Amino acid sequence: MNYARFLTAVSAARQISPIRAMTDLLMRSPPSTISLAGGAPNPDTFPFKSARVTVSDGSTIEIDESLMKKALQYSASPGIAELISWLKNLQKSLHNPPTLTYSPEKGQMDMCITTGSQEGLAKIFEMLVDPGDNVLLDTPAYSGILAALKPLGCNLIGLPTDQFGIIPQALKEILSRWEPEDAIRPESKCPKILYTVPNGGNPTGASLTTERKEEIYQLAQKYDLIIIEDDPYYFLQFNKPWAPSFLSMDIDGRVIRADSMSKILSSGLRLGFITGPKPFIERLVLHIQASTLHTSTFTQIMALQLLEKWGQEGFLNHIDGVIHFYRTQRDAMLNSANKWLSGLAEWHSPAGGMFLWMKINGVQDTHKLIMLKAISNEVLLVPGSAFNIDSAEPSSYVRASYSLSSPEKMDQGLQRLASLIIEEIK
Ligand code: PMP
């Protein structure tokens, strides 16, 4: 892989800040070292001393005075070493990336911690997307990613999807506008990256099958594409065994994977982690150094304390509980949808995630229905147009979330939606 060819001029120009380099050096120095170099504040002056956090199983996490000093201090830009090590072991168990065994010239796998996966993704795009580039992504698309991509001045090429995600034949047809050799000719504008949400898509709830992933990976090899695997709903797959990830099939080192703790530990902690080829992770870390410096040390310590206490087995047990919750919620929403919306709307049962994506029969554009009528009838949903590359383009879909409402509220909400549709189409 020639990683340099994928980098934007901005990313290629990033250099290590001398102060951050010194901080990283200090962190690796023996305790006997006398440092007069650091610009960090003295944590003895901070008002927080220690913390005890109660975990849902009744146990506690202790952050004693000495750990608190560490938690409140600046830390290394890639993330704190112990957390990275824990998460690398997790990636090895779950995905066993073939790139782990790679020679350095082919690019080893590496990882950095980000402030939610969103920060990582936005920085990945800044690293890889130049104005005028063609970028492939599944549509309808996660609106947060459209917000990150659109200002970069690229041309978004939407990939048609169904309940099993990107349709490989459609991807093949789109790519047939180019020859594989065009990949190395920048003026050809052959796409360099493909962004996809492989499980429990937001908004569609779609999950890619293994066969489709294999086909897509082969096309990525043919056209030398980088696959950006944005997988925050990986841990919310309802059926086991979980589908193999793109990372797990990445023999070339062409996958950058974004994971998120938002749906399983806490969205407010803002904790994500990016796994991918070392040369890309290095660039991301330089961007982190120049922007946030690092993800909150306190957040990382909190998460690490819990993960170390649980071990991988405890972590996966916790996830089973989370899956059970969302599966039950999904089933409740499907029951209510069957009860109120049969004949009025169409949907597929999502195999993961937290969204039901419904096509409203006889309504060309759900925007007015949702933004005016539904709101005044006290039911909130998201109109499908919010997930179109061009949000002015009409959509006959709506996204309903089964995350926060009780089964009773979901039932009432869908009943209200049904009345609105009946009124609209009569
Ligand atoms: N990608 C997708 C598909 C999402 O749905 C979300 C959260 N809404 C994110 C990324 C961002 O997640 P995080 O909280 O980890 O930043």
Side-chain angles (χ1 to χ4, degrees):
M1 295 284 300
N2 170 12
Y3 293 112
R5 91 162 182 89
F6 292 96
L7 299 180
T8 61
V10 172
S11 184
R14 291 194 182 281
Q15 288 182 348
I16 188 158
S17 113
I19 296 279
R20 286 308 293 173
M22 181 68 88
T23 309
D24 292 345
L25 181 75
L26 281 174
M27 274 159 197
R28 281 181 273 113
S29 305
S32 52
T33 308
I34 297 169
S35 168
L36 303 178
N42 192 318
D44 290 342
T45 65
F46 295 156
F48 308 101
K49 285 294 162 228
S50 63
R52 170 179 293 185
V53 182
T54 309
V55 183
S56 48
D57 63 9
S59 65
T60 50
I61 299 174
E62 300 290 339
I63 302 184
D64 63 18
E65 285 198 22
S66 119
L67 190 57
M68 188 57 118
K69 277 185 191 162
K70 187 175 169 191
L72 295 178
Q73 191 52 280
Y74 289 127
S75 57
S77 294
I80 58 175
E82 301 90 328
L83 183 59
I84 293 194
S85 159
W86 200 97
L87 292 170
K88 275 188 177 170
N89 283 334
L90 180 73
Q91 296 302 61
K92 181 145 177 53
S93 305
L94 296 176
H95 307 286
N96 197 19
T99 37
L100 266 182
T101 54
Y102 259 24
S103 59
E105 9 4 304
K106 278 195 165 175
Q108 291 162 311
M109 186 199 84
D110 207 348
M111 178 186 284
C112 67
I113 309 284
T114 53
T115 302
S117 58
Q118 182 80 24
E119 185 210 4
L121 290 160
K123 287 185 160 73
I124 289 167
F125 294 135
E126 190 257 33
M127 171 174 72
L128 301 176
V129 179
D130 272 313
D133 276 1
N134 283 311
V135 171
L136 302 165
L137 78 167
D138 33 21
T139 45
Y142 163 49
S143 46
I145 243 48
L146 292 175
L149 274 168
K150 280 185 175 177
L152 300 179
C154 52
N155 175 39
L156 300 178
I157 303 181
L159 302 172
T161 58
D162 60 19
Q163 71 176 117
F164 302 114
I166 294 168
I167 300 164
Q169 186 54 30
L171 172 61
K172 204 181 231 169
E173 278 161 28
I174 288 170
L175 283 169
S176 70
R177 293 180 208 162
W178 291 273
E179 296 297 329
E181 303 77 56
D182 285 338
I184 48 164
R185 292 193 307 110
E187 65 286 2
S188 74
K189 293 288 169 215
C190 183
K192 292 188 299 184
I193 65 171
L194 185 159
Y195 164 88
T196 183
V197 181
N199 291 298
N202 181 359
T204 61
S207 295
L208 271 170
T209 60
T210 306
E211 296 69 34
R212 285 193 182 188
K213 278 188 191 148
E214 281 164 357
E215 273 187 77
I216 293 167
Y217 190 83
Q218 280 162 17
L219 284 167
Q221 288 186 302
K222 185 169 170 188
Y223 288 90
D224 198 19
L225 302 171
I226 299 296
I227 297 175
I228 300 168
E229 176 172 51
D230 175 15
D231 208 356
Y233 305 100
Y234 175 79
F235 295 109
L236 265 55
Q237 295 181 70
F238 302 138
N239 305 316
K240 291 215 176 135
W242 289 337
S245 62
F246 279 111
L247 184 68
S248 72
M249 46 182 79
D250 185 21
I251 50 173
D252 298 341
R254 62 176 66 255
V255 173
I256 309 179
R257 180 178 166 82
D259 279 282
S260 173
M261 289 297 188
S262 288
K263 326 295 176 198
I264 47 176
L265 288 192
S266 148
S267 37
L269 275 183
R270 307 306 300 128
L271 195 58
F273 46 108
I274 307 294
T275 313
K278 213 177 176 70
F280 287 153
I281 300 297
E282 273 167 14
R283 292 286 112 196
L284 287 181
V285 170
L286 289 179
H287 194 170
I288 292 169
Q289 275 184 9
S291 54
T292 53
L293 299 184
H294 57 77
T295 291
S296 154
T297 324
F298 188 79
T299 283
Q300 295 185 65
I301 296 267
M302 272 264 287
L304 179 66
Q305 291 298 98
L306 184 63
L307 295 173
E308 283 189 336
K309 179 178 153 74
W310 272 347
Q312 252 183 45
E313 205 186 319
F315 173 70
L316 294 172
N317 282 342
H318 164 71
I319 284 167
D320 282 345
V322 179
I323 291 175
H324 176 74
F325 171 81
Y326 284 105
R327 197 196 297 115
T328 310
Q329 289 283 103
R330 176 204 60 181
D331 291 345
M333 181 164 268
L334 287 175
N335 272 340
S336 298
N338 281 325
K339 184 162 133 198
W340 300 113
L341 294 167
S342 291
L344 297 175
E346 286 160 35
W347 59 86
H348 294 288
S349 169
M354 44 178 70
F355 304 113
L356 186 64
W357 182 239
M358 291 182 282
K359 182 177 192 308
I360 310 297
N361 294 333
V363 176
Q364 292 302 316
D365 187 8
T366 55
H367 191 267
K368 218 165 73 202
L369 180 76
I370 299 303
M371 297 314 284
L372 297 176
K373 297 189 183 156
I375 292 177
S376 53
N377 282 273
E378 298 188 331
V379 53
L380 300 183
L381 296 124
V382 185
S385 54
F387 308 99
N388 283 342
I389 291 177
D390 174 4
S391 58
E393 217 175 82
S395 164
S396 51
Y397 286 82
V398 296
R399 188 192 80 176
S401 161
Y402 45 84
S403 166
L404 287 173
S405 301
S406 65
E408 295 71 34
K409 293 283 178 211
M410 287 196 268
D411 196 64
Q412 274 176 21
L414 293 192
Q415 183 183 13
R416 287 178 195 175
L417 175 65
S419 313
L420 288 169
I421 300 171
I422 292 168
E423 182 143 313
E424 181 80 6
I425 59 176
K426 79 173 174 225

